[in-house]
Amino acid sequence: MAGEVTRTPDENLESLIKEADTLKARLEDERLKLNDVTLSHVAERLDMISLLNVKPRRVLRGHQAKVLCSDWCADKRHIVSSSQDGKMIIWDAFTTNKEHAVTMPTTWVMACAYAPSGNLVACGGLDNKVTVYSLTSGENVSSQNVSSQKKTVGTHTSYMSCCTFPNSDQQILTGSGDSTCALWDVESGQMLQNFHGHTGDVMALDLAPSEIGNTFVSGSCDKMVLIWDMRTGHCVQSFEGHQSDINSVKFHPSGDAVATGSDDSTCRLFDLRADKEVAVYTKESIIFGVNSVDFSVSGRLLFAGYNDYTVNVWDTLKCTRVSLLIGHENRVSCLQVSPDGTALSTGSWDCTLRIWA
Amino acid sequence: MDMMISNLQQQRQVTEQLRREAAIKRISVSQAVADIMKFISDHEQEDCLVVGFSSEKANPFREKSSCILL
């Protein structure tokens, strides 16, 4: 142990603290120096978005308790959702039919995700586990069958709050209340990489659009947004600004920015290349927390689901609210734009999911 | 002693993280914002939730007139 300390004789606690302070000041300085305009100012000359013609189109009923998470299938038609009652349901969003319903051996299934192929779904929550279910065996798979084709891939030391398949069916990325993220191999159940850096529960993660490849973003109850390199396990960038828990993070379709939603009732936009916050989406009348955010395909709109049962639609450039989607009768817990950008799904504590288009 | 070493290790991690972040190449906000705006204007015509559908028939979630949704 003594050897560990003496190996780097000039690197003592004081010098490290001093260097950290210098670096912090330099970072602050440099970010400030490049902060030459505001987004809303530059966007002033743009046309306003005309009144949105987005209407409620479908209501998916079947969950017996709060809907906590949902994910679109790549086929733009099916949705997987998970609920506080321990159920996971696969929906045909066109017909509103339930194609499968799986009962998990836990309540609060906080996360679920479709694999890119559409043949697998992953879910988990208070059981601390990520479990994969296969949906492949033909047209009319009974729920019994789906339950029997399950496999536990990974286990955290606290609840699993979010999961996603990074570009293939072979791996799953998870975030947890144990303040870490982890990358798992689906076949072997091996942990391929873990990501330490947050000092609070990880609530959300999102992959960078595919061209960027190996980067993802996480948001946490420590109020921090961290950008990670999946190969090295290193945190490459961090953003602060939120005053409370971050519940949702999403990459801008350009891959150059991330949006966040927080209990502090704001959404924010952080630019990776400017290395700073570039917008705050807030209004005096909005005082409830944000649970979920997603962009329209161009990135012009940001949809945000709130604890006051509404979805606010923000113009990401002008930083103004362009619309309000009203329909849910309890908190909006999750929302996601469909893969082709034609529809928005929302899930709520009112036990329903809704499709808007 | 253990406390001191763990403090030192923790501080080393913090400092190393800051070194990595300080080494990032940054661009000005005006440049970043211009790039975001360009991306959006290049893709806005494909964004059905912004520009709508060319016809109501193109909307996969339109209500079909012949059937009643219960």
Side-chain angles (χ1 to χ4, degrees):
Chain A
M1 276 194 300
E4 181 78 15
V5 179
T6 49
R7 208 183 53 200
T8 50
D10 47 333
E11 205 177 57
N12 57 44
L13 194 56
E14 285 99 290
S15 74
L16 283 169
I17 290 173
K18 214 174 133 194
E19 186 186 349
D21 287 343
T22 317
L23 287 168
K24 268 185 217 160
R26 205 175 93 198
L27 271 165
E28 187 109 339
D29 207 41
E30 214 163 311
R31 283 175 181 150
L32 215 62
K33 211 164 58 194
L34 294 167
N35 190 23
D36 50 354
V37 292
T38 66
L39 175 57
S40 56
H41 182 75
V42 179
E44 255 169 25
R45 61 184 170 82
L46 292 178
D47 291 335
M48 297 276 284
I49 293 177
S50 52
L51 201 63
L52 281 184
N53 193 27
V54 174
K55 294 181 190 147
R57 301 287 184 175
R58 301 283 190 279
V59 182
L60 309 182
R61 294 178 206 276
H63 279 297
Q64 306 292 315
K66 297 165 184 170
V67 176
L68 302 177
C69 187
S70 66
D71 192 29
W72 282 96
C73 181
D75 69 7
K76 301 162 263 177
R77 173 167 186 162
H78 291 88
I79 291 176
V80 60
S81 64
S82 65
S83 158
Q84 184 204 0
D85 62 8
K87 287 251 172 46
M88 177 178 72
I89 296 179
I90 309 280
W91 306 87
D92 180 333
F94 284 179
T95 63
T96 73
N97 289 337
K98 292 182 273 294
E99 295 200 346
H100 310 290
V102 179
T103 305
M104 299 276 294
T106 178
T107 56
W108 288 90
V109 187
M110 300 162 79
C112 58
Y114 246 110
S117 68
N119 296 329
L120 297 175
V121 287
C123 63
L126 280 190
D127 58 354
N128 300 357
K129 290 176 184 149
V130 57
T131 304
V132 165
Y133 290 86
S134 168
L135 306 170
T136 41
S137 33
E139 289 292 292
N140 292 310
V141 190
S142 73
S143 299
Q144 203 64 44
N145 267 339
V146 175
S147 296
S148 66
Q149 294 172 34
K150 70 169 187 176
K151 178 186 166 75
T152 299
V153 172
T155 308
H156 279 279
T157 58
S158 181
Y159 63 89
M160 192 203 52
S161 54
C162 47
C163 61
T164 187
F165 287 83
N167 311 320
S168 88
D169 286 19
Q170 273 91 56
Q171 295 178 356
I172 303 178
L173 186 62
T174 55
S176 165
D178 66 14
S179 79
T180 70
C181 301
L183 181 68
W184 310 87
D185 182 71
V186 172
E187 184 67 35
S188 67
Q190 211 184 349
M191 189 196 279
L192 301 172
Q193 189 67 261
N194 62 356
F195 305 90
H196 289 269
H198 281 297
T199 56
D201 304 21
V202 176
M203 299 309 285
L205 49 79
D206 189 40
L207 293 165
S210 53
E211 310 89 78
I212 327 260
N214 288 297
T215 306
F216 75 95
V217 56
S218 63
S220 156
C221 294
D222 66 9
K223 307 169 196 165
M224 295 294 290
V225 180
L226 301 184
I227 309 287
W228 302 90
D229 184 326
M230 235 189 287
R231 291 157 303 181
T232 62
H234 280 154
C235 167
V236 290
Q237 249 176 309
S238 63
F239 299 104
E240 49 192 327
H242 277 297
Q243 313 280 309
S244 188
D245 299 8
I246 296 172
N247 297 316
S248 185
V249 289
K250 200 65 56 129
F251 259 96
H252 190 276
S254 71
D256 289 333
V258 292
T260 53
S262 161
D263 275 346
D264 69 12
S265 79
T266 69
C267 301
R268 292 172 198 243
L269 188 69
F270 298 92
D271 189 277
L272 269 60
R273 297 184 308 152
D275 193 32
K276 77 180 290 298
E277 178 186 293
V278 290
V280 183
Y281 307 109
T282 182
K283 252 173 105 78
E284 209 150 299
S285 57
I286 299 173
I287 54 169
F288 287 89
V290 185
N291 298 311
S292 189
V293 294
D294 200 9
F295 286 102
S296 67
V297 285
S298 71
R300 181 72 191 261
L301 299 177
L302 183 71
F303 297 91
Y306 289 73
N307 282 342
D308 65 0
Y309 314 174
T310 67
V311 173
N312 283 303
V313 188
W314 296 97
D315 180 333
T316 57
L317 298 177
K318 288 182 167 293
C319 305
T320 54
R321 183 175 71 185
V322 288
S323 188
L324 191 60
L325 307 181
I326 296 169
H328 280 297
E329 289 155 15
N330 206 325
R331 292 181 179 204
V332 178
S333 49
C334 54
L335 60 75
Q336 193 184 31
V337 172
S338 70
D340 60 353
T342 56
L344 173 77
S345 71
T346 54
S348 163
W349 282 16
D350 69 8
C351 312
T352 70
L353 291 115
R354 288 164 203 247
I355 312 292
W356 313 74
Chain B
M1 189 60 192
D2 278 354
M3 186 71 165
M4 265 179 66
I5 287 170
S6 96
N7 274 347
L8 183 65
Q9 245 148 16
Q10 223 167 14
Q11 187 58 46
R12 187 177 291 148
Q13 273 174 10
V14 169
T15 308
E16 273 171 8
Q17 181 61 36
L18 282 163
R19 280 181 198 151
R20 275 200 293 273
E21 291 191 36
I24 295 173
K25 203 171 142 254
R26 282 178 200 77
I27 62 171
S28 66
V29 173
S30 53
Q31 181 62 51
V33 164
D35 290 351
I36 288 178
M37 285 172 57
K38 175 156 191 334
F39 182 92
I40 290 174
S41 71
D42 287 351
H43 293 83
E44 212 154 11
Q45 286 314 307
E46 310 150 22
D47 196 334
C48 299
L49 293 171
V50 175
V51 297
F53 294 90
S54 49
S55 75
E56 183 63 5
K57 273 194 175 149
N59 183 348
F61 288 98
R62 75 190 181 276
E63 272 83 6
K64 293 185 181 67
S65 48
S66 55
C67 71
I68 303 152
L69 285 171
L70 292 178

